[in-house]
Amino acid sequence: MRYFSTRGGSERLSFEETVLTGLAPNGGLYIPEYIPTLPENWRSDWKNYSFVDLSVAVLSLYILKDEISESELRQLVEKSYKTFRHPDVTPLTKLDDKTFVLELFHGPTFAFKDVALQLLGNLFEFFLIRRNAAKAADAELEKLTVVGATSGDTGSAAIYGLRGKANVSIFILHPKGRVSPIQEAQMTTVTDANVHNVAVKGTFDDCQDIVKSLFADREFNSTHRLAAVNSINWARILAQTVYYFLAYFQLQSQLPTDINIDDLGVEFVVPTGNFGDILAGYYAKRMGLPVSKLVVATNENDILARFWKSGSYEKVDSSTGHDGSSGATAPADGSSDGKQGTATSGVKETLSPAMDIMVSSNFERLLWYLAFENASGIREEKEIEAGKLLSSWMSSLKEDGRVKLPINILLSARKDFAAERISDEQTLTTIQSFFNGVVSYIADPHTAVGLAAARAVAKQNPEDVYQVVLSTAHPAKFSEAVSRALKDYDRFNFDRDVLPQEFRGLLEKEKRVIDVESPDVDLVKAVIEKTVGHQAGKLAGSGSI
């Protein structure tokens, strides 16, 4: 199995090279040269597998044994998921007869990104140790400078996955004042010598653009050996495919004995910002997991929902007749859980801030597959054509802020996906509704977006469709939104009913952060260059640039 860029080129990388490289030099994202099919007897053989067993089985389809042996892979997986609080790692909770929640927040930072980033951190360490062990005694050790952008949860999950790792420095960019207090504290209170938090005065999209620019700068990239932790890194997508399989088997085990899962449609509904989580479901479906539909659930930053409606992938909704700047960023009450909007960004502030994203990076991977499916010729010719199309489309998006995709691409996208846009008002009423459900459930605002989308889609579903909604974060991470939704219920007490012990006192701990006063890639370069090569242990307190 080799990996290549969505934007074409002759480069073919091993799994190790793909993980360590992150973003392709031409700006594309790495994808596997083919999507493997499941073993013939996977339903029976995997039925009682644990999360660790499933991880080994699925990942082995994409990783050659001469790169990572099965025993080495099992050790890596076991090490990664022993940090989770639930024995199932990602348990499935039944809310009603046809609605289930897949809880992805039982890792060390209480967010779904722990699933991928605990593994990614261990992969980085594994590859570096192996490479350095092969060097001569007097040779310089190979090191990584990990750079990532976060709208909240990626940062803390990446930091917890990489803290204390030898020969790895990690720099996480977050939009200053635009992540929730808990999310910020989870990042900035980690004072390990190799961890560096960078607060950029701007939006998440600004931070993400800076990261992409750093990777695109070949000289800087080579000098500092950059590695990616954002979902542009293929290993993150691969790790997340596993819990779709686990959910399928958990659903099967929870069905009444007179219902056969083979007679049902299984629909996954995914709160979606950067498109990585739902893309993992697409890979699982393409491998052979029986999935009737993947539902993209967006908040009012609805670039993806608008694409599935019109075929236009555009930063600002051209159908409204204005540039999106007027009224787009009025603060939502309670959105101080992490505001991404500004007067110029076009990003709307919502109660689900981790999804307040203008452009979904991983959507490029899906577009490549859609382009490939609609191309003509033999496989090699189709790959070349798809790469050229992707390069052209992404260039148009960057230069014009929009790209109108052909109707055949839209129709292909609708075969596997549906999309729904959910407002803040719907988010609040959904939190209330499920709190008052037969099974009382407290959802964070991102999960509430998913639950609201599931209800909207269910109205058109056949009777035999069961829905699994991915719950991406613990409600304690978004206290203001949850408390606002449930403030009129006397039986609700946030500290008693929601707040984990791990969060108590977190906001009062010592913090370390470097402020960057504008979204300028050169300022961030200066931070990295100043820090790397120094003993990180000397860096204390807060600074600015």
Side-chain angles (χ1 to χ4, degrees):
M1 175 72 78
R2 309 292 284 183
Y3 297 84
F4 62 92
S5 170
T6 51
R7 301 190 190 181
S10 59
E11 183 184 45
R12 295 293 185 272
L13 302 185
S14 67
F15 177 74
E16 177 178 344
E17 292 166 335
T18 301
V19 171
L20 294 178
T21 303
L23 186 69
N26 62 9
L29 306 184
Y30 289 114
I31 56 176
E33 60 186 356
Y34 64 91
I35 299 176
T37 55
L38 298 174
E40 183 178 354
N41 297 321
W42 70 274
R43 290 174 188 259
S44 56
D45 291 349
W46 295 5
K47 181 178 179 180
N48 297 313
Y49 274 11
S50 67
F51 190 92
V52 167
D53 295 332
L54 279 174
S55 293
V56 173
V58 173
L59 271 58
S60 294
L61 300 176
Y62 290 88
I63 305 171
L64 298 177
K65 286 183 170 58
D66 59 1
E67 282 201 77
I68 303 177
S69 70
E70 186 171 342
S71 62
E72 288 172 329
L73 182 58
R74 180 168 290 276
Q75 289 172 10
L76 284 166
V77 170
E78 288 175 344
K79 182 179 180 181
S80 299
Y81 299 119
K82 71 179 182 181
T83 61
F84 280 64
R85 296 179 303 280
H86 197 285
D88 292 335
V89 181
T90 59
L92 189 72
T93 298
K94 183 177 181 178
L95 298 186
D96 60 42
D97 286 346
K98 295 183 180 179
T99 308
F100 296 76
V101 168
L102 184 65
E103 294 183 343
L104 306 177
F105 53 72
H106 292 279
T109 71
F110 294 76
F112 82 96
K113 295 174 183 181
D114 287 322
V115 176
L117 286 165
Q118 285 292 305
L119 178 63
L120 182 59
N122 287 321
L123 284 170
F124 282 154
E125 183 180 52
F126 174 81
F127 291 138
L128 282 179
I129 289 174
R130 186 166 67 184
R131 288 183 171 209
N132 288 329
K135 292 180 179 292
D138 58 347
E140 183 178 353
L141 294 179
E142 188 166 339
K143 298 180 180 181
L144 285 181
T145 302
V146 175
V147 182
T150 185
S151 58
D153 288 332
T154 293
S156 56
I159 286 167
Y160 275 71
L162 288 167
R163 62 187 302 181
K165 300 290 187 189
N167 300 312
V168 177
S169 296
I170 178 169
F171 293 82
I172 292 296
L173 282 61
H174 71 268
K176 185 176 177 64
R178 298 181 184 279
V179 297
S180 78
I182 285 291
Q183 289 173 320
E184 182 182 9
Q186 283 187 306
M187 293 186 287
T188 59
T189 58
V190 178
T191 57
D192 292 64
N194 70 324
V195 173
H196 312 285
N197 283 284
V198 182
V200 178
K201 192 173 182 180
T203 67
F204 167 72
D205 287 282
D206 292 328
C207 295
Q208 187 160 253
D209 286 344
I210 290 171
V211 169
K212 289 181 178 179
S213 295
L214 293 174
F215 278 92
D217 186 329
R218 295 196 179 199
E219 182 179 354
F220 187 86
N221 191 335
S222 176
T223 299
H224 296 287
R225 191 65 172 91
L226 300 187
V229 289
N230 283 76
S231 53
I232 59 175
N233 193 305
W234 164 250
R236 278 192 55 179
I237 305 300
L238 179 57
Q240 291 172 181
T241 62
V242 176
Y243 48 67
Y244 284 89
F245 288 92
L246 185 69
Y248 177 84
F249 289 120
Q250 288 181 320
L251 175 61
Q252 184 177 29
S253 69
Q254 293 188 35
L255 291 173
T257 55
D258 61 336
I259 296 180
N260 188 332
I261 196 169
D262 294 336
D263 299 328
L264 306 178
V266 180
E267 183 174 84
F268 286 91
V269 186
V270 187
T272 304
N274 227 8
F275 205 74
D277 206 8
I278 196 165
L279 182 70
Y282 174 75
Y283 277 104
K285 187 177 192 297
R286 288 285 302 271
M287 290 167 68
L289 184 68
V291 177
S292 60
K293 212 78 167 181
L294 293 159
V295 179
V296 177
T298 78
N299 62 20
E300 294 174 53
N301 295 288
D302 59 349
I303 183 172
L304 293 170
R306 286 186 279 114
F307 163 76
W308 262 276
K309 180 179 180 181
S310 69
S312 292
Y313 189 57
E314 51 187 10
K315 294 181 180 180
V316 177
D317 187 357
S318 60
S319 68
T320 62
H322 60 74
D323 65 3
S325 61
S326 176
T329 60
D333 185 10
S335 69
S336 59
D337 276 327
K339 308 169 187 171
Q340 304 303 328
T342 71
T344 58
S345 69
V347 178
K348 300 178 183 179
E349 295 176 4
T350 75
L351 297 173
S352 46
M355 296 156 60
D356 290 352
I357 293 173
M358 183 68 76
V359 176
S360 301
S361 291
N362 273 292
F363 189 55
E364 178 170 340
R365 283 182 164 118
L366 175 64
L367 287 178
W368 187 92
Y369 288 106
L370 299 177
F372 176 82
E373 289 170 9
N374 286 277
S376 57
I378 63 174
R379 182 177 181 88
E380 183 178 355
E381 293 170 338
K382 294 173 69 174
E383 287 180 356
I384 292 172
E385 183 178 344
K388 288 179 178 178
L389 281 172
L390 257 292
S391 185
S392 172
W393 292 342
M394 293 301 104
S395 178
S396 295
L397 182 66
K398 183 176 181 179
E399 294 172 8
D400 305 327
R402 61 174 57 89
V403 57
K404 178 68 175 179
L405 296 164
I407 186 63
N408 58 326
I409 298 296
L410 175 60
L411 294 176
S412 293
R414 286 175 174 170
K415 291 177 183 177
D416 294 317
F417 294 87
E420 287 289 333
R421 174 190 186 273
I422 302 301
S423 69
D424 274 354
E425 182 179 358
Q426 290 172 294
T427 301
L428 292 172
T429 57
T430 301
I431 293 173
Q432 295 163 357
S433 174
F434 280 90
F435 179 70
N436 288 315
V438 175
V439 176
S440 182
Y441 193 83
I442 300 175
D444 91 285
H446 305 80
T447 304
V449 168
L451 289 166
R455 281 184 166 175
V457 172
K459 295 175 183 178
Q460 284 80 45
N461 280 346
E463 284 292 318
D464 61 354
V465 172
Y466 282 58
Q467 294 178 312
V468 176
V469 179
L470 273 59
S471 180
T472 54
H474 192 284
K477 301 196 80 167
F478 301 94
S479 58
E480 291 194 34
V482 173
S483 295
R484 179 189 169 194
L486 302 179
K487 67 182 187 317
D488 294 331
Y489 295 91
D490 292 337
R491 60 191 175 90
F492 171 73
N493 182 289
F494 184 85
D495 286 353
R496 181 195 65 212
D497 300 335
V498 177
L499 192 65
Q501 184 61 39
E502 291 88 342
F503 286 9
R504 299 180 190 275
L506 184 62
L507 298 178
E508 288 73 49
K509 287 186 176 181
E510 175 193 356
K511 298 177 183 178
R512 195 177 74 202
V513 62
I514 303 168
D515 289 319
V516 173
E517 294 305 315
S518 66
D520 186 327
V521 66
D522 289 329
L523 293 179
V524 175
K525 282 183 180 179
V527 169
I528 295 172
E529 288 172 338
K530 179 181 178 181
T531 306
V532 173
H534 290 216
Q535 289 186 346
K538 294 180 180 179
L539 183 64
S542 299
S544 64
I545 189 167

